[in-house]
Amino acid sequence: MIHAVLVLNTQGKPRLIKFYYPVRAEKQQDIIRNVYKVLSSRADHLSNFVEAADIFGSETKLVYKHFATLYFVFVIDNAESELGILDLIQVLVESLDRCFKNVCELDIVFNFNKVHTVLDEIIVGGHVVETSSSEIVKAAEEVFKQESFTDMIAIALKSTGKR
Amino acid sequence: MASTIMESLFQRTLEDLVKGLRVQMIGESRYIASHLEEIRKEIKSTDPHTKIVALQKLTYIHMIGGIDMDWAAFHVVEAMSMSKFAHKKIGYLAASLSFHDGTDVLLLITNQLRKDLGSNNEYESGLALECLSIIATPDLAQQLTPDVFSLLASGRVYVRSRASVVIFKLFTKYPDAVRIACKRLVEKLEDTDPKVLSATISVFCEMALKDPASCIPLAPEFYRLLTEPRDNWLLIKVVKIFGLLLPLEPRLSRKVAEPLCEIMRHTTAKSLLLECIRAVTVGLPDHGEGLKLAVQKLKELLMENDPNLKYLGLQALAALMPAHSWAVAENKSIIIRGLNDDDYNIQLASLQLILGMVSEDNLIDTVHVLLQYAERSEVSFCNEVIGSILTTCSRGVYELVSDFTWYTSILGRVSRIRDSAHGKEIERQFVDIGLRVKEVRPDLLAVARGILLDSTLLECPPLYRVLSAAAWIAGEYVEFSHNAIELIEALLQPRIRLLPPAIQAVYLHSVLKVFIYSAYTSLKGVYNEGLPAEQLFSEKDEESTPLSQHLLLIESEVKEVDKAGIVSEEQLEVNMTDDASMHSISIDSQKDIMEGPSLGSECEQFKRLFELIESNVGPMIEHSDVEVQERACNLLGLAKALKEALIISEGIPVFSQSSSMDNALEIVSFLRSVFGKELGPVSAFAQSRVAVPEGLVLMKNLDNLDGMFCDDEVKEKSLTPEFKTREWEVGPKSAESAPDTDSKHGESSSLLAQHRQRHGTYYLPVEKDITAENGYPPPQIVQQDIPSTSSAADDIMKLAEQSLTWSKPRQTKQRPVIVRLDDGDEDLILSSKVKRDAKDNLISSALKDVLVSGKGKPSMKFTSKEDGKSLFRSQQHDHNAVVEVNSNVSVNSEEATKKSGKRHGKHRHKTRSTSMSIKDTAGPCLNQSQGDSHNSHSGQKSRHKSRTPTAIIPQPDVIPDFLS
């Protein structure tokens, strides 16, 4: 299964953290630091896999991809295919790209719950439930629509309050 | 009301927070802390909007900054229960990011989750499912299993696919859920929607990883999925599952081999191809065609210049290596190039593969190549290479090494690598080879000499252990040295003070051994050469025994010692009376008389030796470490005594030089005989082979020995002889042990006595009488302290006597070419293996317990019965319309499936699900289900009806029909 999905920037600042098992906040930060240490020491032309036994326990691997200023990191065990997950990272980035129109780090910074929504359309409980980016975007947009519907009401309330 | 509006008006949004965070100048943590205060107020607001925005901000800083938000758990629950979807969603996000097993409000959310799971809005159910998949606890799992179970039958794909993931999570938290829901989860393997199918197979893949045996009964389902055209995501998982099942159930291989080969031939997806290669490696080790194809494809992958494929390909090769080394050999060039790769992972993988290919023939070449790489590469990889060379070469008691001269030179080379992390292992191997391989000792000494002479190594703490081994070798195998003086010089160079005390002690002891050796050889040389001259002398000194005769005597004594290992007291008395007549004499004067060039050089050598020892060992007498101090004293004392016997400082020649020389030679040859004993390896089980004396209970609890302390006095008395002889050795140096003398009458004296028995060497004698001659200390108290009193020769003899006792254990050692302690070495390996196996069993049975949980034993007796089989086979044909729910049917239904699979495509599904339900009900419902078998139900109905407790029970015997 997938144990966690992490998005870090090249300075080591976390941009998105999602663990598929409960982890305390301090421990999360600790893990982020260790993962960043590993990733930042690797040049770009190297393989996208790193053994992560000392961070996440035996038989775990980091599968990561470096896009512009961001690292997308998936933590997986033996039940996942490394190359498959690499494709999945591509799917995630594509979906984000479609949702935000040319996604960049700032989009992820300012829309952390939207990014979570997209991610939740792909992975549930550490298992992949959807791999087609168009389906993912469709579902995510449906969720956004439902959200903004209620948001609109709130805005309307707010504006009445202003007056 | 107005206040809430004001709150919401002036509240900072998440966007404000993020923007502020990006431009803040006061430091991120301070900025967050200041905001946290604000959030704490806002989150208590009665206005839902304000509350939600506050929660959203909190969730964000929790995720980014690792801020604990346990305190807000109740607000999270409130948000989850809000009716607006947007609010609810923020609440659920906060919950799934921040809740953990210790969150106390988890008990409050059961109903909320239940409500949302059953929501008409599929996205609301999705939220609840997603959240539950992460925060599920045993309690939540128990209470919500029925709800998730019903969602498995939901009409919406969105919900159904998520439900099958979540139900598995619940299984792991609440194993009893398996009974209720496993059957329906298995049915999802036939779901018409590919997404549901994909999620379900992913779940089964994880289950197979945890406990492959429990998934074997489902092999037919997986086989069907493997052969039907599917998307690659699903196929990868199916192939993975077979990779896990095949090693357990070799009979599957006949069936699965062909589809796997087919996929390998035609797929364009490298991820799928790689999975197939892995599955073939572990699952079809005897399938020639499949293996060939896999290796062929693997080669193609490795040829592509993609670091990812290279890394995974090398890993796959490593998996092939144990059984199919030819596959590795075929890719040799790629592997060796991998050593030069920029990627550390690829380097490591290549290294492992190369060492895996090592044989007796190519060991030398391989190691040379590897060392060249190691010396060029950075520290961590260099250490990795050296570590694996050391383990590979020492494997199976050096079974790969045929040329030990070469191997010692390699060890020497490896010892020079400054940042080595393997000092300890090199030390072990140096000593080990010395003990085991007699022939290589001269080479070993040469290597050790090189290491000792290199004074720069003294500055490398990682190599201290190596230095210690080198020093030990120098002392132990000094007889192969051409220049003992040089060794002593190396061992006594001033910079050894940089070493830790324990290693300095080894150095000093080695100096002692080398010194004795060189003294022995030179004295002997003097005798042999000076023999005619001495005979001239003997005219002057009638009394003296002819030297050659004397020498013989000594040698015979030494031999006797060799045999018996102990010198009888009489002998000692004799020696001592000899010593009594000992007088100092100047060899310089002797030299003048004899004018023998060799004699003169020997003499010079002695002088130099003594000077060396005095000047370098002298300061160590005041060393803070007691071990170093003690050895320094020993060495210095012995040297002084010998010097007095051989060289006269005042230059007054006394008569009878030969007899003083005799005595010196006697002493030295005696000590030499002690150190000359060969040491051998000791089996790790040596201790356990010593039979426990009858009546001795080793496991006894010693707490109730208090009563025995009353006979302290007796103990003290019995101990005293051991200490008596040590009176003379108590010089000023033993100041630290002085206080102990008084404690004799103290309360703790009994403890002290016990302690002394063990560590007696460091304590003062209890009685002050000097009765040295009669009290020869028992072995465990023996120390080689050197007296600094005037009766030197006397004491040296005593010393020899004492030293002798600890040569005893050495005598039993053998001298084979490579000493192998067959049972000992093997046993060690074996026992560790056994332990591991036992542990594995424990783990797998524990896993099975989780998955099978509380079910009765699988009905093994049923499944393999031949007549049962045939009976139901006929039945199966009778009930063309699906036979349901029977424990035995599992056997034949599968067979029927196989036989009529193509013709009755529709039935196949049903019968298969039958087989599952059978496994489920196998145990407790045996009788009932047998009854059922006589009534034919309609498949669909019975599937709903037969909601008897179910569980997957590993039943390997179910498969034969599938396989035949």
Side-chain angles (χ1 to χ4, degrees):
Chain A
M1 67 175 263
I2 298 164
H3 293 255
V5 174
L6 313 170
V7 179
L8 318 176
N9 75 359
T10 38
Q11 265 101 53
K13 287 228 162 76
R15 291 308 183 204
L16 179 88
I17 304 176
K18 178 84 184 182
F19 283 90
Y20 291 99
Y21 59 102
V23 185
R24 302 297 284 258
E26 320 89 73
K27 177 95 174 108
Q28 286 188 6
Q29 297 302 313
D30 206 39
I31 288 174
I32 301 280
R33 269 191 294 277
N34 287 327
V35 169
Y36 177 69
K37 215 187 285 169
V38 172
L39 296 188
S40 57
S41 68
R42 289 177 65 83
D44 264 355
H45 62 284
L46 305 183
S47 68
N48 298 89
F49 315 122
V50 191
E51 314 267 327
D54 37 356
I55 308 176
F56 292 95
S58 66
E59 312 261 296
T60 53
K61 275 199 187 90
L62 306 180
V63 178
Y64 72 98
K65 223 165 181 178
H66 185 183
F67 292 95
T69 57
L70 291 175
Y71 288 113
F72 286 76
V73 189
F74 281 50
V75 184
I76 59 164
D77 62 16
N78 275 346
E80 302 293 332
S81 146
E82 295 89 345
L83 293 170
I85 294 296
L86 218 48
D87 286 350
L88 197 67
I89 295 180
Q90 194 64 42
V91 169
L92 171 65
V93 176
E94 264 176 39
S95 314
L96 291 175
D97 202 45
R98 285 201 200 182
C99 284
F100 296 112
K101 316 275 181 284
N102 284 326
V103 69
C104 66
E105 189 183 340
L106 276 184
D107 292 319
I108 295 176
V109 171
F110 282 105
N111 297 288
F112 97 103
N113 29 1
K114 279 195 175 182
V115 181
H116 270 291
T117 309
V118 174
L119 190 61
D120 289 348
E121 294 305 320
I122 306 175
I123 303 166
V124 172
H127 292 275
V128 181
V129 290
E130 181 58 77
T131 53
S132 140
S133 60
S134 54
E135 290 288 318
I136 294 161
V137 173
K138 214 164 82 187
E141 256 152 18
E142 184 59 35
V143 175
F144 297 154
K145 212 160 78 189
Q146 296 206 13
E147 274 184 298
S148 60
F149 177 66
T150 43
D151 265 2
M152 269 157 58
I153 299 171
I155 289 165
L157 257 175
K158 237 180 168 179
S159 54
T160 48
K162 252 179 199 169
R163 233 171 270 154
Chain B
M1 188 64 210
S3 72
T4 60
I5 290 171
M6 288 305 278
E7 265 175 18
S8 89
L9 265 180
F10 294 108
Q11 187 183 24
R12 274 185 266 205
T13 61
L14 175 64
E15 201 173 314
D16 299 333
L17 172 82
V18 176
K19 272 184 190 155
L21 199 56
R22 291 172 64 79
V23 297
Q24 46 76 24
M25 305 293 280
I26 54 170
E28 209 165 90
S29 53
R30 271 182 71 189
Y31 181 83
I32 288 177
S34 70
H35 260 267
L36 206 55
E37 281 311 303
E38 208 175 282
I39 290 169
R40 275 177 193 276
K41 275 179 223 146
E42 289 168 2
I43 208 163
K44 290 180 189 133
S45 162
T46 48
D47 174 38
H49 185 77
T50 313
K51 194 183 200 77
I52 283 299
V53 170
L55 181 61
Q56 200 174 15
K57 288 194 286 186
L58 182 61
T59 312
Y60 181 77
I61 59 175
H62 164 80
M63 182 184 85
I64 299 301
I67 300 298
D68 178 69
M69 58 178 283
D70 279 0
W71 56 271
F74 188 74
H75 301 288
V76 175
V77 176
E78 279 184 333
M80 285 163 77
S81 58
M82 286 180 183
S83 55
K84 279 177 199 156
F85 179 75
H87 295 175
K88 194 186 280 295
K89 184 164 175 296
I90 287 164
Y92 269 107
L93 180 63
S96 74
L97 288 181
S98 73
F99 281 7
H100 49 80
D101 296 342
T103 307
D104 43 8
V105 295
L106 279 179
L107 294 170
L108 303 177
I109 62 170
T110 315
N111 281 327
Q112 186 58 43
L113 279 171
R114 183 173 287 145
K115 188 168 151 250
D116 289 329
L117 283 173
S119 163
N120 283 328
N121 183 343
E122 57 185 326
Y123 297 107
E124 272 184 15
S125 313
L127 285 181
L129 283 168
E130 204 280 330
C131 185
L132 185 60
S133 76
I134 291 170
I135 65 168
T137 59
D139 280 344
L140 277 176
Q142 184 179 4
Q143 288 167 32
L144 294 172
T145 298
D147 301 84
V148 180
F149 174 76
S150 60
L151 288 182
L152 277 175
S154 162
R156 287 165 300 189
V157 172
Y158 189 90
V159 175
R160 213 157 66 222
S161 59
R162 281 162 173 72
S164 59
V165 170
V166 175
I167 197 83
F168 176 71
K169 290 274 162 191
L170 300 187
F171 287 177
T172 59
K173 296 287 174 190
Y174 172 62
D176 283 354
V178 176
R179 289 195 207 169
I180 303 164
C182 197
K183 188 182 154 223
R184 194 171 277 185
L185 185 59
V186 170
E187 282 169 14
K188 292 294 139 208
L189 287 173
E190 292 162 31
D191 202 285
T192 47
D193 188 273
K195 284 177 199 166
V196 180
L197 205 53
S198 187
T200 312
I201 207 79
S202 175
V203 159
F204 274 107
C205 184
E206 198 187 328
M207 202 188 280
L209 190 71
K210 283 187 176 161
D211 181 16
S214 66
C215 286
I216 285 187
L218 293 171
E221 300 289 339
F222 300 138
Y223 179 74
R224 177 176 57 81
L225 293 170
L226 186 69
T227 46
E228 285 170 16
R230 297 283 170 189
D231 72 313
N232 290 333
W233 283 97
L234 192 121
L235 276 178
I236 286 174
K237 292 282 182 182
V238 176
V239 173
K240 250 192 198 302
I241 291 174
F242 274 113
L244 293 162
L245 298 189
L246 281 171
L248 285 187
E249 185 47 274
R251 288 173 298 175
L252 280 171
S253 60
R254 253 179 305 157
K255 271 281 159 198
V256 179
E258 200 34 55
L260 280 182
C261 290
E262 199 58 30
I263 295 173
M264 280 197 283
R265 272 186 218 110
H266 295 114
T267 185
T268 50
K270 298 202 173 71
S271 45
L272 180 57
L273 178 61
L274 205 77
E275 268 340 304
C276 290
I277 292 170
R278 284 177 181 168
V280 169
T281 305
V282 296
L284 306 174
D286 309 317
H287 194 274
E289 192 202 344
L291 272 174
K292 233 182 197 165
L293 188 63
V295 172
Q296 164 68 23
K297 290 285 178 188
L298 195 54
K299 206 170 177 177
E300 286 170 26
L301 289 183
L302 283 169
M303 291 299 212
E304 288 187 40
N305 207 13
D306 177 343
N308 289 334
L309 292 179
K310 201 187 248 175
Y311 170 65
L312 296 173
L314 288 176
Q315 278 197 332
L317 269 184
L320 276 166
M321 190 167 64
H324 312 285
S325 48
W326 55 271
V328 182
E330 271 184 23
N331 296 295
K332 203 172 177 179
S333 60
I334 297 170
I335 296 167
I336 290 180
R337 252 180 283 141
L339 276 183
N340 253 348
D341 205 281
D342 294 331
D343 193 338
Y344 184 64
N345 291 333
I346 292 180
Q347 283 186 319
L348 274 190
S350 306
L351 177 66
Q352 295 311 323
L353 283 169
I354 287 171
L355 288 169
M357 288 190 290
V358 161
S359 69
E360 207 174 310
D361 306 320
N362 62 16
L363 178 73
I364 293 182
D365 296 334
T366 313
V367 169
H368 276 291
V369 169
L370 286 180
L371 272 182
Q372 271 170 14
Y373 273 110
E375 281 159 357
R376 265 186 281 141
S377 51
E378 62 200 273
V379 180
S380 58
F381 185 60
C382 177
N383 270 326
E384 201 66 49
V385 173
I386 290 166
S388 28
I389 289 176
L390 289 174
T391 40
T392 308
C393 290
S394 63
R395 198 170 57 206
V397 199
Y398 312 97
E399 61 182 3
L400 288 173
V401 180
S402 47
D403 181 356
F404 274 89
T405 307
W406 164 80
Y407 188 54
T408 47
S409 74
I410 290 295
L411 283 181
R413 191 167 154 190
V414 167
S415 308
R416 306 298 173 93
I417 293 169
R418 309 275 147 147
D419 305 300
S420 171
H422 302 285
K424 206 173 167 186
E425 176 64 11
I426 297 171
E427 178 198 34
R428 190 192 70 78
Q429 292 198 15
F430 262 133
V431 175
D432 197 38
I433 290 174
L435 295 178
R436 286 178 194 266
V437 195
K438 202 180 164 197
E439 285 73 16
V440 84
R441 286 173 191 169
D443 305 298
L444 211 50
L445 183 84
V447 171
R449 175 182 164 273
I451 294 173
L452 291 174
L453 285 177
D454 188 348
S455 63
T456 56
L457 295 182
L458 286 167
E459 286 160 7
C460 308
L463 295 177
Y464 284 168
R465 303 295 297 263
V466 181
L467 288 171
S468 151
W472 182 83
I473 287 169
E476 192 61 28
Y477 304 122
V478 62
E479 72 236 48
F480 302 110
S481 141
H482 305 297
N483 192 348
I485 305 272
E486 185 190 57
L487 281 182
I488 292 190
E489 276 173 350
L491 286 169
L492 283 179
Q493 54 188 303
R495 293 171 87 183
I496 68 164
R497 270 165 236 162
L498 295 171
L499 296 173
I503 293 170
Q504 282 189 42
V506 177
Y507 265 64
L508 282 178
H509 194 64
S510 293
V511 171
L512 177 68
K513 286 168 161 179
V514 177
F515 173 62
I516 295 289
Y517 170 79
S518 72
Y520 174 70
T521 44
S522 4
L523 278 179
K524 226 177 158 183
V526 170
Y527 267 115
N528 289 341
E529 289 195 20
L531 203 56
E534 289 294 330
Q535 269 166 352
L536 287 177
F537 263 85
S538 66
E539 286 164 24
K540 283 184 198 169
D541 182 13
E542 315 268 330
E543 238 104 308
S544 71
T545 336
L547 283 173
S548 53
Q549 210 180 318
H550 203 106
L551 204 68
L552 275 176
L553 198 116
I554 292 166
E555 275 180 355
S556 70
E557 252 174 45
V558 168
K559 265 180 208 155
E560 222 170 291
V561 169
D562 280 7
K563 272 185 218 153
I566 327 157
V567 178
S568 62
E569 285 192 16
E570 293 91 318
Q571 259 178 315
L572 218 101
E573 293 298 333
V574 171
N575 290 342
M576 293 219 214
T577 44
D578 278 355
D579 294 338
S581 66
M582 197 179 207
H583 289 277
S584 313
I585 193 156
S586 158
I587 286 184
D588 288 63
S589 60
Q590 191 188 17
K591 166 200 149 197
D592 289 341
I593 299 161
M594 291 192 288
E595 285 176 11
S598 74
L599 206 59
S601 70
E602 295 292 352
C603 214
E604 282 303 310
Q605 248 186 34
F606 263 113
K607 264 185 146 177
R608 236 181 94 207
L609 261 180
F610 290 138
E611 270 167 28
L612 248 176
I613 290 175
E614 271 169 19
S615 61
N616 287 307
V617 180
M620 288 196 188
I621 289 185
E622 278 152 21
H623 198 280
S624 58
D625 187 83
V626 77
E627 190 80 4
V628 177
Q629 196 184 68
E630 183 135 29
R631 286 178 198 227
C633 285
N634 292 347
L635 184 55
L636 213 59
L638 181 73
K640 268 185 187 157
L642 271 180
K643 188 181 168 188
E644 277 166 25
L646 293 172
I647 304 167
I648 283 250
S649 47
E650 310 301 323
I652 310 160
V654 197
F655 73 103
S656 168
Q657 19 173 295
S658 60
S659 83
S660 97
M661 283 258 294
D662 279 352
N663 286 320
L665 181 62
E666 210 172 313
I667 296 158
V668 167
S669 58
F670 206 91
L671 283 173
R672 175 67 200 144
S673 78
V674 169
F675 289 133
K677 290 285 173 301
E678 194 173 306
L679 296 173
V682 180
S683 162
F685 295 87
Q687 181 73 51
S688 64
R689 282 200 203 120
V690 179
V692 179
E694 222 172 297
L696 177 64
V697 187
L698 290 176
M699 306 304 287
K700 204 169 177 180
N701 187 354
L702 296 178
D703 281 351
N704 47 10
L705 282 184
D706 290 341
M708 288 174 69
F709 289 155
C710 57
D711 50 22
D712 282 350
E713 288 306 309
V714 183
K715 271 193 177 174
E716 291 280 333
K717 268 172 200 162
S718 70
L719 278 171
T720 44
E722 301 168 3
F723 296 107
K724 266 188 218 164
T725 53
R726 298 173 49 77
E727 173 58 21
W728 46 262
E729 80 194 27
V730 182
K733 57 152 185 155
S734 318
E736 78 271 40
S737 49
D740 292 310
T741 33
D742 324 0
S743 57
K744 183 187 167 193
H745 305 294
E747 282 182 352
S748 59
S749 59
S750 67
L751 281 176
L752 220 132
Q754 287 174 350
H755 188 66
R756 271 179 189 149
Q757 233 166 358
R758 253 178 287 146
H759 311 284
T761 47
Y762 296 118
Y763 290 89
L764 283 176
V766 179
E767 286 178 23
K768 301 275 178 182
D769 331 1
I770 305 170
T771 46
E773 286 80 14
N774 357 348
Y776 299 112
Q780 71 267 37
I781 305 296
V782 164
Q783 254 300 324
Q784 38 167 10
D785 290 18
I786 307 290
S788 48
T789 53
S790 55
S791 60
D794 210 353
D795 294 333
I796 292 169
M797 283 318 295
K798 225 179 288 162
L799 177 66
E801 191 78 29
Q802 292 167 353
S803 309
L804 186 70
T805 40
W806 49 271
S807 77
K808 197 178 172 187
R810 298 182 191 185
Q811 286 180 318
T812 54
K813 306 300 179 267
Q814 315 156 317
R815 314 178 156 206
V817 181
I818 301 172
V819 185
R820 295 186 65 135
L821 302 160
D822 291 328
D823 44 342
D825 290 339
E826 310 286 310
D827 278 0
L828 206 60
I829 300 158
L830 241 166
S831 66
S832 67
K833 226 181 220 170
V834 168
K835 261 182 209 161
R836 209 179 308 133
D837 285 350
K839 203 184 163 199
D840 283 351
N841 284 340
L842 272 178
I843 292 169
S844 94
S845 71
L847 268 172
K848 229 172 256 177
D849 280 351
V850 170
L851 286 171
V852 178
S853 75
K855 292 292 297 177
K857 296 274 172 276
S859 59
M860 300 296 278
K861 52 179 180 178
F862 249 81
T863 46
S864 56
K865 269 186 187 166
E866 268 307 37
D867 18 9
K869 238 180 178 183
S870 56
L871 172 74
F872 283 102
R873 191 175 297 154
S874 58
Q875 219 176 46
Q876 171 72 24
H877 288 301
D878 293 345
H879 304 303
N880 225 348
V882 187
V883 179
E884 264 291 45
V885 194
N886 181 308
S887 46
N888 322 45
V889 176
S890 61
V891 180
N892 51 63
S893 65
E894 291 305 323
E895 186 167 328
T897 307
K898 277 280 85 149
K899 285 190 173 169
S900 58
K902 275 170 196 163
R903 275 175 291 144
H904 305 282
K906 208 180 167 190
H907 295 152
R908 267 173 62 202
H909 292 225
K910 288 174 179 172
T911 45
R912 202 166 292 110
S913 66
T914 311
S915 73
M916 194 54 222
S917 71
I918 286 142
K919 283 154 229 150
D920 299 344
T921 53
C925 313
L926 210 63
N927 294 330
Q928 184 211 332
S929 52
Q930 245 184 324
D932 284 353
S933 76
H934 298 292
N935 321 319
S936 62
H937 299 278
S938 104
Q940 207 50 39
K941 251 188 193 168
S942 66
R943 210 174 277 171
H944 288 288
K945 269 186 185 172
S946 65
R947 212 178 289 170
T948 46
T950 56
I952 295 185
I953 291 170
Q955 257 183 308
D957 305 63
V958 178
I959 311 160
D961 298 315
F962 165 70
L963 294 162
S964 54

